[in-house]
Amino acid sequence: MTQLVDQPVAATATDQPAPSRLGGPVTAVAVAIGCAVLGVAVLAVTVTLGLPLLAPVVAALVLAVPLLLVRPVLFVVLVGVVEAGNLSGVGAVNGLPGGESALLALAVVAAVLAWLRGHIRPAWSPFLSVAVLYVVVQTIAVLTAQDVDTAFVAVAVTAKAMVWPVVLVVLLLAPGRGPQALARAFALTLAALAALTVVQEFVVGNDTTFAGLSTVPLAADLGGATARHAGPQDDANFWGRVLVLGFPFALSLAQMATSRWRRTLWLCAALAIFGGVVLTGSRGGLLALFVVLCFWALLAGGAALKALVLAPLGIGLALMLPGVGSRLLTLNTLGVGGLEVTDPSLEGRIAAQTSAFQMVVDHPVLGVGPGNFLLTTPDYLRRLGLDSLPLAPHNLYLEAAAEGGLLGLLAWLLLVGAAALVALRARHFARAGGSAMGQAAPLPLANAVLAALLGWSVASIFLHMATLRSFLLVAALGAALDIRARRRAAELRRERGIATDAVALDLVRPRSRPGRALRWAAAGLATLLLVLAATLWTAGGRPGTVQTVTTDMQLVVKFESDSESPSYDLDTLSRTGLVRTLAGIATSDRFEEEGLRRATELGVFVDSVTIESSASVDSGLITVTASGPDAGAATVVAFEVRAAAVEFVNTLSPLYGALPVAGEPLVKPAPEPAFDRRIALVPLALGGLLVLGLAVDLAQDGLRRRRVARGRAR
């Protein structure tokens, strides 16, 4: 790859603030006076409420606001510390609710003031556009929600979370080393809290939670050697996923370190994070950590890449650690020949994921609605005959598909893909620019963002949605690196008058004929996959043999007479109008519902049983057919439906009625479908990914053309 010439460059717009739009000293003094007044008010209120120890802390934070507002980089550091330590949640536990909302409001104010003072030149990112699209899709999915109020609350929480990356991207565009400061604050806070869990386990014996900064929700778990630590989170698994996000940043900061003691510091931070993940007992976190380490080494290259040959030895040593190998070995309770689950945690997860998959089958487009998974799960557990308590799906992708349908799953994949795309582009610019890129977008930070996103994605195979803001913080860092790198490359091109980096050459290179052919081939393949998915869904059926049980009842004359014409008295065959009326009554849906209710009262599982009633006017014969996977349950339902119909018809008239036909019911197994219709989800997902790739490719092509047009205009 061609690199920019490594030579000193003059200060540019990236390093120098633009002219101020707002009087700097006057604004700073006004903000300081206002915050001081607010600090005194908070001090008085907290003392009045009987919280004298919290009052100085709150007052100090409020009085520090002026410095944070005039120095965006310091505010970015504060955001990184608060998010990594979940300090808003910890504050709520200690009597200070609303910390996250207050911090968000202050972040917005800081961004606006920095823009007005000319310190920031805002820019948009493709990731932010996809974030808006994700919220729109979630809002549309509310239309199918069982509980609309719950769905709206879930969408509101997601929309509020999506404000964070917008604000962070703006703040990170301030001159200086904002991305490096955010990475340091995030990784160092996680390392400190992970070390605190080690101290709590081996020094203080888990006797305290350190004011909520180191919780221990489980004293032990299957295969674990210690208690399961959740840090400042409520769940150890979620804490493990957050730690995985910070691990590659510690490695990249060690790679960027300019002195031996700093490199040692960050390597110790990475080791502390590793120990924190082990103490969470999260199997998904341990697997994701290994994936992150290997992927980061591939991106970093050099000595880190060469060290991958030692990966098998490292895996062996890690598996020998107490609580690592033994914890991972509990996964073998999932039998190869079937789901012979003995771990209660795995058993509940399998039941929840089975329910989630069935929700996707029943509601493939928009799902059951945001936040409605747990509300809908009990019904699916009964239908599927699963003996388990309602749990979250413990799979973010299944959760997205269950609550938002395939459209919601595609929106989430777009969100993650956009975050990875902008980080990958930042890495491309950083590699092309070399040392001339300076501190605008360091290559190791782009590597860390990509590795962290992969780690989050892998860990999310075992976890549902939570700690979304931590993911968005990393994604926002990648988006900011992308903008800063592109701006720096544009400055260098303007200074030298030529496009010297590989990316600039790519912008002016016309699309090749093989490239166009590949695009058309991908479009054709996507079309074929979507057509195949529709065909498979239409032609397939649900798996499992269906047992069909048939039983009959006969319309008869109840009138008894000594008449010389008994054949006339017994005649129902010529009274077609009468037979049609009685048959219509006997085949009413009300008897199907009553029969199901009676069978349920007898303890029969009837959710998977379907009923169909038909009648013959010529013979006066009424047939009840019940179908289901269990012949015994279907038989009970058929008999109860017939009994309910016979009882009601016999109350209508003293002359005419119905009698059950004697004999055993006819039981016939229906043939299984040729294949399970749910296999159609595979080509549907592949086709959707191809469509996504084509959309990204077209967007990039349009971006190239606009840049070339702007370059020619100059």
Side-chain angles (χ1 to χ4, degrees), residues 45-58:
V45 171
T46 51
V47 172
T48 303
L49 294 176
L51 300 172
L53 295 179
L54 292 177
V57 176
V58 176

Side-chain angles (χ1 to χ4, degrees), residues 4 6-7 9 14-15 176-177 180 256 429-430 433-444 484 488 492:
L4 291 168
D6 185 8
Q7 57 178 302
V9 295
T14 301
D15 304 311
R177 303 184 178 185
Q180 295 90 318
M256 296 169 60
F429 272 103
S435 59
M437 188 62 64
Q439 298 297 325
L443 177 61
R484 290 167 66 99
R488 180 59 178 156
L492 294 172

Side-chain angles (χ1 to χ4, degrees), residues 490 493-494 497 499 507-508 703-714:
R493 288 197 297 270
R494 285 195 298 269
L507 292 176
V508 298
L703 185 62
R704 291 190 190 97
R705 295 179 185 277
R706 286 195 297 271
R707 286 180 175 171
V708 171
R710 287 199 299 266
R712 290 174 178 172
R714 294 193 185 102

Side-chain angles (χ1 to χ4, degrees), residues 582-674:
L582 293 177
I585 294 173
T587 55
S588 172
D589 292 342
R590 60 171 290 185
F591 303 118
E592 297 178 5
E593 297 173 359
E594 186 174 349
L596 289 172
R597 179 181 58 78
R598 291 183 177 186
T600 301
E601 292 174 352
L602 294 174
V604 178
F605 181 75
V606 300
D607 283 359
S608 56
V609 178
T610 59
I611 308 164
E612 182 179 356
S613 299
S614 60
S616 170
V617 176
D618 294 335
S619 63
L621 191 68
I622 300 172
T623 301
V624 177
T625 303
S627 302
D630 182 18
T635 301
V636 173
V637 171
F639 274 43
E640 293 299 329
V641 171
R642 185 181 69 174
V646 168
E647 292 172 6
F648 183 80
V649 170
N650 286 335
T651 63
L652 297 177
S653 168
L655 300 179
Y656 301 98
L659 291 176
V661 175
E664 295 294 326
L666 175 63
V667 180
K668 182 176 66 173
E672 291 191 47

Side-chain angles (χ1 to χ4, degrees), residues 56-238:
V57 176
V58 176
L61 291 176
V62 173
L63 292 174
V65 168
L67 180 61
L68 296 174
L69 294 182
V70 298
R71 294 293 301 275
V73 172
L74 294 179
F75 209 94
V76 165
V77 170
L78 178 63
V79 171
V81 172
V82 170
E83 182 52 44
N86 189 30
L87 298 187
S88 57
V90 174
V93 173
N94 289 278
L96 291 174
E100 186 262 338
S101 299
L103 183 62
L104 178 58
L106 289 174
V108 173
V109 173
V112 172
L113 283 178
W115 172 68
L116 291 176
R117 291 168 57 84
H119 290 176
I120 290 177
R121 183 158 53 96
W124 196 250
S125 170
F127 170 75
L128 301 179
S129 299
V130 178
V132 174
L133 176 63
Y134 178 74
V135 176
V136 171
V137 172
Q138 291 288 296
T139 305
I140 295 174
V142 173
L143 299 174
T144 61
Q146 175 181 332
D147 189 331
V148 176
D149 293 338
T150 300
F152 270 120
V153 170
V155 172
V157 171
T158 301
K160 180 181 177 182
M162 292 301 173
V163 177
W164 273 110
V166 178
V167 178
L168 277 176
V169 167
V170 173
L171 290 173
L172 287 170
L173 295 182
R177 303 184 178 185
Q180 295 90 318
L182 177 58
R184 292 191 188 102
F186 189 65
L188 193 58
T189 304
L190 291 177
L193 291 174
L196 187 62
T197 62
V198 176
V199 172
Q200 186 187 66
E201 173 67 32
F202 299 106
V203 178
V204 301
N206 302 325
D207 289 337
T208 177
T209 65
F210 293 103
L213 291 174
S214 185
T215 59
V216 187
L218 291 174
D221 209 342
L222 188 64
T226 64
R228 297 192 62 184
H229 292 256
Q233 302 287 343
D234 296 327
D235 189 284
N237 295 311
F238 297 147

